[in-house]
Amino acid sequence: MDIQYQRPLRIAIVVTRDLSERNGRTPILSHVVRALKARHEIKLLHLSALVESRSSIRDIAGALLAWIASVLRMRPLPLQCVLYGSPRQCKDIIAKIAKMQCDAVYLDTVRCQLLLRMLRGAIPGLYVVTDFDDLMSRRANYLFRNRLPFPTGHVSRHVPHWLRVLSEKFLAGPIAGYEALTLPAAENEVIAASDATILLSVADREMLSLRRSVESVHAIPPAVTVMRSPMKDIAPSRFIFIGSDNFVHNRAAIDFLLESWRKVRAPLDLHIYGRQSRTQATVEGVHWHGFVEDLAEVYQPGSVALVPAMDRGGIKTKVLEAWAWGCPALCNKAAMEGLAIESYPLVLPETEWLAILAAPCDREWASAARIGHAFVRDHCSAEGFERAWQKIILPRPRNAVEDETDLAQIGLHIPDRTNTAQAALASRFAES
C-alpha cells in the first residue's frame, strides 16, 4: 500500500561522510537520501570529524572536555563519537534544524551520539531516526579478539601518517579494546534517545535483543538494482574481489586470498578491484585493477565473486551486488549473515576454499547465480527499500505500536510546521 501524506515533510539529514564516494556504506546512505528527497523537503547537513577540517583549538577542547566528563561519570564515550563531538558544529547543525522547523531528523550512525544529546536538550519532541547500518560494537569486539586495528575508514585520508601508524600499529590493541568496551553503552543510549533505529540485518537486531529492548529497532535490507540475468552456458573464467584495503575487513580478506594463491596455483586468475593504500603484492595469477567507474568491467560474464568475510555484522552488499549482475559468489558463513537463503550451494568455511580454487570445474556456479539473482529480485528491490524508509520517517508518538496493515493511517500524524516551541527556538538561535 502506498503511503499518503498530508504534505511533504521537512527532514534534516545529518551525514558523517562524503556522499560522492562509492565505497563502504555511502551507496546505501545515498539511496536513503534519494528515497526521502523524492517526496519531502530535504536539508543535507554534514557533521565532520575533527581531523577532516582545520578544527579550531576550541572544537578539539570541547570534544576533549566531553570525553573527560564521560570518564568521570564512569560512562566513557567511544573515541569515534568524540571524533564527531565538536560542540560548535553540533550547535550549528541544531540551529539549522530549528530554523527549518523540521518534522524529522535522520542521523548517520552512533557517531552522532553527542549531537543527539544536544538535540534532545534543545528540541525534546523532535522525531529522530538514527541509522546504525550495523552494530559497530560487534565489529569492534571482533577486531579486539583477533588483534586487528580499529579502522580509520573514510577519514583515513585526513589522518596524518604518523597518527595512522600510531593508531593502527602501536596502539591498535588498546584502541580496539576501548571501542569494544564503550560502544555497547553508546548504542544503547542512542537507541533510547531515538524514535526509531535502523539496522541492515535481522541478525544484528537479534543480537542486539540479547542486551536491550528492540521495539523501536527495525531491519531494512539494502536496495540493489538487478543489472543482468545469470548467463546460460558460460563457464567460470575468473575470480574477482572488490574492496579497498582502507577498510580493515577488506584488508584481511585480501590477505587471505593472496595467501591462498600462494599456496595453490589456481587455473583461474584472481582480479582485485578497488583503491589500495598498501604496496600491491606480486603473486602469480593475481591482477590489480584499482578503482573502476563501470561495474560492468568488474562483473564480466564468467566472473565468480569471492567474499571471505572476516567479520560478522550487517549485510555484505558485495554479495548482493554480484548476484544482481548475474554472477555467483563463493562465501563463508560470515558473508551470508542476514541473508536467509538456506538452499544457496556456495557457503563454505575458508578451510575448504583451496580445493575449490584449485579445481573450479563441476561446481554449482550456475545454480548459485540463479538462486542469488532471484533473492535480489524478490527481496532487495528499490521499491521495497523506499517504501520502508517512507514509512519509518513518518513522525509518530514515541514507543507507539505500529499497525503493519494500514500504513496510510500513519501519515495522519504529522507535526504542524508552525510548532511554536520550534519557532521560538529558531528565533533564539538566530539571535545568538
Side-chain angles (χ1 to χ4, degrees):
M1 181 185 300
D2 192 24
I3 301 175
Q4 302 298 320
Y5 302 95
Q6 290 178 322
R7 56 169 175 75
L9 304 179
R10 289 180 175 176
I11 304 171
I13 298 181
V14 182
V15 298
T16 63
R17 65 202 74 208
D18 183 358
L19 296 186
S20 66
E21 297 181 354
R22 277 179 44 190
N23 54 41
R25 163 177 160 74
T26 305
I28 300 174
L29 179 53
S30 297
H31 197 163
V32 174
V33 172
R34 290 195 300 271
L36 299 181
K37 189 176 182 179
R39 298 194 178 189
H40 303 295
E41 183 181 343
I42 298 300
K43 180 70 172 179
L44 200 61
L45 304 171
H46 184 244
L47 177 63
S48 60
L50 293 175
V51 296
E52 283 186 79
S53 57
R54 296 179 179 177
S55 300
S56 67
I57 296 298
R58 185 177 178 182
D59 290 331
I60 298 173
L64 183 60
L65 286 175
W67 177 76
I68 293 173
S70 72
V71 172
L72 294 176
R73 290 196 301 267
M74 304 298 290
R75 298 277 293 183
L77 293 166
L79 296 179
Q80 59 189 292
C81 295
V82 176
L83 194 62
Y84 290 87
S86 162
R88 178 189 58 81
Q89 270 202 82
C90 292
K91 182 179 178 182
D92 288 347
I93 288 174
I94 294 172
K96 292 174 182 176
I97 291 171
K99 183 177 181 180
M100 187 180 175
Q101 298 183 36
C102 291
D103 301 303
V105 172
Y106 169 104
L107 298 181
D108 177 22
T109 78
V110 71
R111 299 186 184 103
C112 294
Q113 180 185 15
L114 289 175
L115 171 61
L116 180 55
R117 282 185 186 177
M118 294 178 64
L119 188 59
R120 281 295 178 216
I123 318 175
L126 186 61
Y127 185 79
V128 177
V129 176
T130 304
D131 189 0
F132 274 9
D133 189 62
D134 60 12
L135 286 178
M136 289 188 183
S137 57
R138 289 189 68 192
R139 180 163 294 180
N141 190 47
Y142 166 83
L143 296 173
F144 177 65
R145 287 187 288 104
N146 291 275
R147 299 180 179 180
L148 295 170
F150 201 90
T152 50
H154 66 281
V155 300
S156 60
R157 66 180 184 275
H158 302 288
V159 178
H161 178 71
W162 66 268
L163 186 56
R164 286 188 62 184
V165 172
L166 186 65
S167 63
E168 294 185 3
K169 292 186 177 180
F170 299 105
L171 296 178
I175 290 176
Y178 178 84
E179 295 297 276
L181 180 68
T182 56
L183 274 167
E187 290 168 344
N188 289 343
E189 177 188 330
V190 171
I191 290 170
S194 301
D195 295 277
T197 305
I198 310 302
L199 291 164
L200 286 180
S201 170
V202 174
D204 268 345
R205 188 177 186 273
E206 292 174 350
M207 182 67 66
L208 182 64
S209 70
L210 299 177
R211 73 173 193 242
R212 63 161 293 115
S213 170
V214 292
E215 290 181 3
S216 64
V217 180
H218 309 268
I220 301 179
V224 181
T225 302
V226 172
M227 302 301 298
R228 185 176 60 217
S229 297
M231 308 295 283
K232 296 180 180 179
D233 304 323
I234 293 183
S237 58
R238 65 188 206 141
F239 292 111
I240 62 171
F241 177 85
I242 183 169
S244 168
D245 65 1
N246 281 326
F247 298 91
V248 171
H249 52 283
N250 285 335
R251 191 180 307 176
I254 291 171
D255 290 344
F256 166 77
L257 293 175
L258 293 177
E259 185 60 26
S260 297
W261 254 258
R262 291 188 183 102
K263 291 179 179 178
V264 57
R265 180 59 180 98
L268 303 182
D269 288 352
L270 170 64
H271 297 260
I272 299 177
Y273 294 86
R275 292 190 179 95
Q276 311 299 324
S277 60
R278 301 180 297 177
T279 302
Q280 297 172 0
T282 301
V283 179
E284 186 178 2
V286 176
H287 308 275
W288 302 86
H289 297 275
F291 175 79
V292 294
E293 284 286 347
D294 187 3
L295 289 178
E297 180 181 336
V298 179
Y299 298 106
Q300 299 172 20
S303 298
V304 175
L306 300 180
V307 192
M310 299 301 166
D311 62 331
R312 293 182 179 272
I315 289 178
K316 304 302 181 283
T317 53
K318 63 185 67 180
V319 175
L320 301 177
E321 188 175 78
W323 291 343
W325 281 91
C327 297
L330 175 60
C331 308
N332 58 2
K333 288 185 177 180
M336 289 293 287
E337 184 175 284
L339 302 175
I341 312 180
E342 296 180 1
S343 59
Y344 192 73
L346 297 179
V347 185
L348 298 167
E350 303 93 294
T351 53
E352 299 181 21
W353 280 36
L354 286 181
I356 295 179
L357 300 177
C361 298
D362 301 324
R363 301 289 177 175
E364 298 182 76
W365 304 117
S367 174
R370 287 194 301 270
I371 293 171
H373 186 270
F375 180 86
V376 171
R377 181 195 64 211
D378 298 339
H379 300 283
C380 301
S381 70
E383 294 78 9
F385 180 87
E386 292 167 6
R387 189 164 53 247
W389 272 101
Q390 294 293 347
K391 173 187 172 184
I392 284 295
I393 205 66
L394 287 172
R396 69 208 71 158
R398 300 194 73 188
N399 302 320
V401 177
E402 297 179 10
D403 182 1
E404 300 287 348
T405 63
D406 194 356
L407 301 182
Q409 289 185 4
I410 299 176
L412 299 179
H413 183 81
I414 302 177
D416 194 327
R417 279 185 183 166
T418 60
N419 181 294
T420 55
Q422 290 192 32
L425 186 66
S427 175
R428 177 162 61 84
F429 271 110
E431 294 171 356
S432 59

